């Protein structure tokens, strides 16, 4: 898709020296069409506007493409890997279990309605919200890691032998998948500054880095399923309608 959607941001009218173009040292991207034709794209250096020189075999024109577009073309197989942590469909999930430092929370479908199974002793004023369980499952089936951890780190060092949070889902067929969240990653890896934790998903044994807020969210356990009271409306109707004529309210 990155190749098919590649568009030049500009044309190079005055071609600089070969050393400045950087094609000799730059990567090549090969793509094959349905009719068997091979397209070779050469990527060169980055100019002063953060654009990259590009050319296509059989075309003398030198182009400029955004650095972002060029980076998408040169991703490694590891970077293209699916980062999903669960492999289930939300409609098939019948049980959700969260194990954290503060205890275990279990919700289960009973007669097509979510019910709270554990804990059996609830805090004062707590009211279970079945729709919250639906939302949590819908979010979990889309849960993705931030990246794959390429370094060789064992589970003990990653804090996964006794993980801080374990999230399990069981489907109608009785299959259970779980995701484990471990210790903090010692180095901030992404440019946004988001902190990360180690994680192992349900699909494979690969070590991943996930956003810290994902682990922190499930550390809330039972609180994730607490019914939140709707805020009261002033005057019995939405604010701002008082100023409208009765027939327009």
């Amino acid at each position: 898709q990155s190749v098919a959607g590649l568009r030049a941001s500009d044309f190079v009218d005055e071609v600089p020296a070969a050393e400045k173009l950087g094609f000799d040292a730059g990567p090549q991207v090969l793509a094959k069409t349905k009719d068997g034709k091979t397209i070779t794209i050469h990527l060169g250096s980055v100019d002063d506007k953060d654009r990259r020189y590009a050319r296509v075999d059989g075309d003398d024109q030198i182009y400029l493409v955004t650095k972002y577009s060029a980076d998408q073309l040169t991703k490694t197989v590891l970077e293209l890997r699916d980062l999903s942590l669960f492999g289930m469909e939300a409609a098939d999930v019948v049980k959700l279990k969260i194990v954290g430092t503060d205890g275990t929370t279990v919700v289960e479908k009973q007669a097509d309605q979510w019910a709270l199974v554990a804990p059996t002793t609830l805090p004062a004023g707590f009211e279970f919200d079945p729709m919250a369980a639906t939302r949590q499952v819908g979010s979990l089936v889309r849960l993705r890691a931030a990246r794959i951890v390429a370094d060789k780190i064992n589970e003990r060092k990653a804090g996964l032998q006794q993980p801080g949070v374990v999230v399990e889902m069981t489907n109608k067929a009785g299959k259970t998948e779980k995701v484990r969240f471990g210790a903090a990653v010692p180095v901030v890896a992404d440019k946004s500054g988001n902190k990360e934790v180690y994680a192992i998903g349900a699909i494979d044994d690969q070590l991943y880095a996930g956003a810290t807020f994902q682990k922190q969210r499930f550390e809330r356990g039972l609180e994730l399923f607490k019914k939140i009271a709707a805020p009261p409306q002033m005057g019995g109707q939405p604010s701002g309608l008082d100023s409208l004529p009765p027939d327009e309210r």
Side-chain angles (χ1 to χ4, degrees), residues 76-136:
T76 65
V77 173
L78 200 63
E79 291 173 318
L80 292 172
R81 185 168 175 166
D82 185 8
L83 297 175
S84 299
L85 295 177
F86 280 107
M88 290 186 173
E89 298 290 335
D92 296 331
V93 177
V94 295
K95 183 178 180 181
L96 169 59
K97 178 179 179 181
I98 302 174
V99 181
T101 55
D102 293 335
T104 299
T105 302
V106 181
V107 295
E108 191 171 342
K109 268 193 176 178
Q110 299 177 356
D112 292 329
Q113 179 74 11
W114 285 105
L116 180 64
V117 177
T120 54
T121 302
L122 302 176
F126 181 90
E127 183 180 355
F128 174 67
D129 183 2
M131 287 305 299
T134 300
R135 291 192 295 271
Q136 293 302 325

Side-chain angles (χ1 to χ4, degrees), residues 10-23 47-48 51 53-54 60-64:
D10 205 350
F11 299 92
V12 178
D13 296 324
E14 297 182 8
V15 180
E19 294 79 11
K20 186 173 182 179
L21 288 172
F23 288 129
D47 73 354
D48 56 358
R51 301 172 299 180
Y53 293 109
D60 294 333
Q61 177 66 53
I62 304 296
Y63 301 93
L64 285 165

Side-chain angles (χ1 to χ4, degrees), residues 136-183:
Q136 293 302 325
V137 169
S139 175
L140 281 168
V141 296
R142 299 190 301 272
L143 187 65
R144 293 169 59 84
R147 61 185 178 89
I148 288 175
V149 177
D151 300 332
K152 299 295 182 182
I153 300 173
N154 60 43
E155 289 194 11
R156 181 187 60 80
K157 187 174 180 180
L160 291 162
Q161 287 185 338
Q162 293 181 323
V165 176
V166 178
V167 183
E168 294 185 3
M169 290 197 296
T170 304
N171 65 13
K172 297 174 182 177
K175 179 183 178 183
T176 296
E177 294 185 350
K178 67 179 178 181
V179 173
R180 293 177 286 159
F181 293 97

Side-chain angles (χ1 to χ4, degrees), residues 42-59:
H42 301 264
L43 297 173
S45 304
V46 177
D47 73 354
D48 56 358
K49 295 182 179 179
D50 211 29
R51 301 172 299 180
R52 201 159 184 175
Y53 293 109
R55 69 177 180 85
V56 180
D57 274 0
D59 183 356

Side-chain angles (χ1 to χ4, degrees), residues 30-48:
L30 277 69
K32 188 164 285 190
T33 63
K34 290 181 180 179
D35 57 7
K37 180 182 177 182
T38 298
I39 300 173
T40 303
I41 302 171
H42 301 264
L43 297 173
S45 304
V46 177
D47 73 354
D48 56 358

